[in-house]
Amino acid sequence: VLASGTGGSNRIRSVIIQVLINILQKGMTLEEATLAPRLHYDGQILQVEPGFADQDMNQLRSIVQVNPWDYPSLYFGGAHSVTPEESFGDPRRSGHALSFI
């Protein structure tokens, strides 16, 4: 059981799907999945947070125009997530989490 949400207008889908892939497919904790670098395609340019490997960035640049960011940003949403075992609030949106377990 996992609940995750974010504000972010047209970026909501890309934020949530990246967090879910990190948790469900890559086996990350909520904290790891939330803090992992994100990307968002705005229809013309791929916006990319720092933290992706140079090899990955080169592959992306061969496909689409890339705008690399210098810092994690609220632009990429602030995903806040909770499971029965853990919770984590995204620092991109000044998130906090409390566990009562």
Side-chain angles (χ1 to χ4, degrees), residues 50-90:
F52 287 94
D54 289 340
Q55 178 182 349
D56 295 334
M57 290 297 291
N58 290 335
Q59 285 182 317
L60 292 171
R61 284 186 177 102
S62 71
I63 300 168
V64 67
Q65 184 178 352
V66 175
N67 180 38
W69 290 57
D70 294 329
Y71 55 92
S73 173
L74 179 57
Y75 173 87
F76 296 93
H80 311 294
S81 304
V82 62
T83 72
E85 293 79 30
E86 62 180 327
S87 58
F88 193 77
D90 197 327

Side-chain angles (χ1 to χ4, degrees), residues 12-27:
I12 291 173
R13 289 180 296 272
S14 63
V15 171
I16 295 298
I17 196 69
Q18 289 173 81
V19 170
L20 291 176
I21 287 170
N22 288 339
I23 293 167
L24 300 173
Q25 188 173 18
K26 297 180 179 179

